[in-house]
Amino acid sequence: MGIWIGEDAKVLVQGITGNQGTFHATKMVEYGTDIVGGVTPRKGGQTVDLGSIQAPVWDTMVEAIEATDADASVIYVPPRFAGAAIIEAADAFTQVRGNGVIVCITEGVPTLDMVKAVDHVSSIDGIRLIGPNCPGIITPGENGGSKIGIMPGHIHAKGRIGVISKSGTLTYEAVAQTMSIDEGQSTCIGIGGDPVNGTGFIDCLSAFEDDEQTVAVVMIGEIGGTAEEEAAAWVAENMSKPVVGFVAGMTAPPGKRMGHAGAIISGGKGTAAEKVAAMEAAGIRCANDPSEIGAVLLESLKAAGLR
Amino acid sequence: MNIHEYQGKQLFRDAGLSVQDGMHCTSVEQALAAYDALGGDVVAVKSQIHAGGRGKGSLYDTDNGDLVMEGGVKIAFSREDVENYARNILGNILVTKQTGVDGKIVNNLYVEGGCKIAHEYYLAILIDREEKMPLIMASCEGGMDIEEVAEKTPEAIFRIHVDPSDGLLLEQAEGLANSLGLSGAATDSFVENITGLFNFFVSNDCAMVEINPMVRTEDNRIVLLDAKVGFDDNALFRHPEIVKLRDISEEEPTEVRAKAAGLSYVKLDGNIGCLVNGAGLAMATMDVIKLYGGEPANFLDVGGGANEEQVTTAFGIIMEDPNVKGILVNIFGGIMRCDIIARGVIAATQALSLEDPLVVRLVGTNFEEGRRILAESGLNIHTAETLAEGAQKIVELVGGEQ
């Protein structure tokens, strides 16, 4: 189970012939992801060596989905082409099979390109966009599983904790924290640190609430915007499963962009303190230190009679 | 990327928007010539720095720190006024509530023709992250601190979301004019300007445009009296003409150099340097240092695929800060292997003859190998297994040396 991506999802790689595309496609295959091929315009008909498999390449997403019936695509194209790649994937999934998951790893996509792409994707039912500027999504399996993105596969294990995060390495930290208390993960999703992205916290929380495998959720936020506050309000109203959290950026100065394009306190809004306060008020127990996420999660599991 | 007001005004002028005539000056002589060229009547003499709050800022002498003048934006009624204001501004330090206490040296002036103001408004266009579309904000309380208006009288701010597939609709523009209490010729002038400004925002990939104030003149025209324009860094590749407007002296030099090396660095006021992979983890590392009683000296994200050279550059940048008394390296090796990072740390500490205490926490891919390499280096490198342990160690080590 897990959410959106099954352990045996069939995955296409957009930009498979580029350095990043080939490198990460190989890592995904090593993990056990079913990479069924890729797309690079004008390179259709070639194959790409991914170690244990030779992946076929198509010119367009329509051709690739028609040939493979892929469930998902992962995008490693350069920033200037990423918006168009998302729209192409959305249209192709819609045309060929009516649904699909698009994971955009690319960092540095122009904001207005994302405004257009998100507007396009959200006008279509059945298409889910994750990212951009994110580590991707992983549903660990008993043996392997489906890793769609750039996260290190070996730190994960199949289990019952859902993980959602705006950040990459901090997600890995959260995963390691679940492992430190002998809990694995149902699905882990990096939603990305850009100001405008596809899937948000609430989409993930709602899916985890409905997922039978998931019993609790770890939610990692960071400064900027008000997505954490909105997610907290949603949790207070709708979530029956325990949620624990952490918010990065307590010491971040206002007006300075902290690495991620979206991580900025502007006009006094988007501070970590406000986010933690909103989350705690909604019953989301927050760790002060990422090294404590495991302990806080364990207490919440015990309180819910799950340990 | 931000630009100066005088550059923004020129872009507005080129886009056919309604701005006053004005001239960019870098000397008192140029300012006087601008006054004459603008007709020798009332002009505004405006300090050009990227930070806001210029009008309410204070100018200080660069050499002795004495207060020279209150207000970085002045209305001059005579040639003597222009000379006096230009002299007080150019080369001196302007401190506003956005510059920090150190302020900014003012090297550029904008001398702009005056106009007869009937009312001041606030106007801004930005991207609403939550609605994921452009947002136009306007208020009748122009010239004021908009954050104050937003807090005290949120109902005084009018908001219009623009659907990216439709663009700004005429009825939206007219509706906003109506909300602002405009009528007749002023409405027509406003609709023309807001439509042009929205097109400017989209076609130039702006991150934000703020006009505070936009004014209605006594003869019922709308004039954009301010121009605070910021561009989306991610989209600069398609606007080479805008990249040319960059004034690098307005940016923190170390941050500029870090960026050129593919690193993301922000200087802070503490004494514990941090070197981390990933923006979220880098922020969390700062937070945990603070939690254990220390003060972070910087934010530094080496990125997901940093190599040995980048790690060395990163150490160099951290150590340039004279306040740094110790460094915490926190790496969660995913794609990046810990053994490579360990070798990079050793190379950097040797190349830079680092003497300050160094705590290294390596987890993830090949962490055992990484820790072994550090342990066998014979260097004075402390290791930690968790972020909390790493933070506690560096805080103790730095505290012990003070």
Side-chain angles (χ1 to χ4, degrees), chain B residues 33-331:
Chain B
Y35 177 76
D36 296 339
L38 291 169
D41 198 359
V42 178
V43 297
V45 180
K46 308 175 94 173
S47 304
Q48 300 290 293
I49 60 169
H50 284 181
R54 294 170 297 165
K56 288 178 186 152
S58 307
L59 284 143
Y60 296 91
D61 190 297
T62 311
D63 298 323
N64 58 26
D66 289 349
L67 178 68
V68 177
M69 184 169 75
E70 292 289 1
V73 174
K74 292 293 202 182
I75 306 300
F77 296 93
S78 66
R79 218 165 181 275
E80 289 66 38
D81 280 355
V82 172
E83 180 167 10
N84 183 30
Y85 295 146
R87 205 174 291 289
N88 285 345
I89 292 172
L90 281 170
N92 284 327
I93 294 171
L94 179 58
V95 178
T96 78
K97 64 176 197 173
Q98 287 185 18
T99 59
V101 288
D102 293 337
K104 276 279 174 192
I105 293 185
V106 189
N107 296 313
N108 296 283
L109 267 188
Y110 190 55
V111 178
E112 185 176 58
C115 63
K116 296 210 160 58
I117 298 172
H119 192 87
E120 298 191 357
Y121 306 84
Y122 173 91
L123 181 66
I125 309 178
L126 48 108
I127 302 289
D128 183 330
R129 300 167 57 143
E130 272 42 79
E131 296 297 324
K132 303 176 185 187
M133 57 177 79
L135 168 66
I136 299 175
M137 287 171 47
S139 155
C140 295
E141 313 273 330
M144 306 257 299
D145 179 359
I146 192 66
E147 280 140 28
E148 209 171 291
V149 176
E151 198 162 300
K152 288 183 184 157
T153 47
E155 70 281 1
I157 299 176
F158 306 104
R159 291 180 168 81
I160 289 182
H161 284 99
V162 183
D163 188 316
S165 42
D166 299 337
L168 178 64
L169 305 173
L170 179 61
E171 65 207 51
Q172 288 182 304
E174 287 175 345
L176 189 54
N178 197 34
S179 303
L180 292 174
L182 301 173
S183 60
T187 295
D188 295 344
S189 176
F190 175 77
V191 167
E192 197 174 303
N193 275 287
I194 188 64
T195 306
L197 194 64
F198 185 79
N199 292 339
F200 174 88
F201 181 93
V202 172
S203 59
N204 290 291
D205 279 292
C206 293
M208 191 208 50
V209 171
E210 188 178 53
I211 316 290
N212 191 18
M214 170 185 87
V215 302
R216 175 166 55 82
T217 59
E218 288 181 356
D219 56 353
N220 253 351
R221 287 178 305 119
I222 294 295
V223 177
L224 311 180
L225 264 199
D226 178 34
K228 191 173 179 192
V229 183
F231 300 93
D232 176 6
D233 289 341
N234 289 347
L236 287 174
F237 68 85
R238 53 189 172 208
H239 303 289
E241 73 293 349
I242 283 169
V243 175
K244 288 186 196 142
L245 302 178
R246 185 170 178 194
D247 180 355
I248 222 145
S249 71
E250 286 287 327
E251 300 173 34
E252 178 75 34
T254 330
E255 291 173 19
V256 172
R257 219 150 26 82
K259 201 169 168 188
L263 310 168
S264 179
Y265 172 87
V266 176
K267 192 187 171 313
L268 302 170
D269 297 329
N271 59 3
I272 298 176
C274 316
L275 190 163
V276 189
N277 67 331
L281 191 58
M283 279 188 268
T285 303
M286 291 159 31
D287 297 348
V288 175
I289 287 172
K290 176 96 177 173
L291 191 67
Y292 288 103
E295 290 288 341
N298 64 275
F299 166 93
L300 196 158
D301 171 14
V302 292
N307 54 31
E308 197 173 307
E309 192 187 332
Q310 278 173 310
V311 172
T312 308
T313 309
F315 265 99
I317 284 171
I318 292 172
M319 286 169 59
E320 269 173 41
D321 178 352
N323 295 333
V324 168
K325 296 286 179 268
I327 298 175
L328 173 60
V329 175
N330 183 20
I331 300 289

Side-chain angles (χ1 to χ4, degrees), chain A residues 23-24 27 80 108-113 115-116 118-119 147 150-152 154-155 166-167 169-170 172-173 176 194-200 222-227 230 246-253 256-264 267 288-292, chain B residues 127-130 132-134 147 163-165 201-207 232-235 237-238 252 255 264-268 276-288 290-292 296 299 301 330 332-335 361 363-366 386-389:
Chain A
F23 177 80
H24 288 291
K27 294 279 177 193
R80 64 180 69 195
V109 185
T111 305
L112 284 172
D113 289 3
V115 167
K116 276 190 211 130
V118 169
D119 180 55
K147 156 178 137 81
I150 57 175
M151 64 288 277
H154 65 87
I155 64 169
K166 274 185 176 176
S167 145
T169 44
L170 200 48
Y172 314 158
E173 195 81 50
D194 274 4
V196 175
N197 59 7
T199 294
E222 66 185 30
I223 56 163
T226 53
E230 284 161 26
F246 174 77
V247 179
M250 277 288 178
T251 48
K256 282 283 189 178
R257 205 169 292 283
M258 307 302 275
H260 287 155
I264 181 164
N288 292 317
D289 165 352
S291 325
E292 290 172 2
Chain B
I127 302 289
D128 183 330
R129 300 167 57 143
E130 272 42 79
K132 303 176 185 187
M133 57 177 79
E147 280 140 28
D163 188 316
S165 42
F201 181 93
V202 172
S203 59
N204 290 291
D205 279 292
C206 293
D232 176 6
D233 289 341
N234 289 347
F237 68 85
R238 53 189 172 208
E252 178 75 34
E255 291 173 19
S264 179
Y265 172 87
V266 176
K267 192 187 171 313
L268 302 170
V276 189
N277 67 331
L281 191 58
M283 279 188 268
T285 303
M286 291 159 31
D287 297 348
V288 175
K290 176 96 177 173
L291 191 67
Y292 288 103
F299 166 93
D301 171 14
N330 183 20
F332 200 114
I335 298 313
R361 181 222 178 199
V363 279
T365 312
N366 288 12
T386 67
L387 173 53
E389 185 193 344

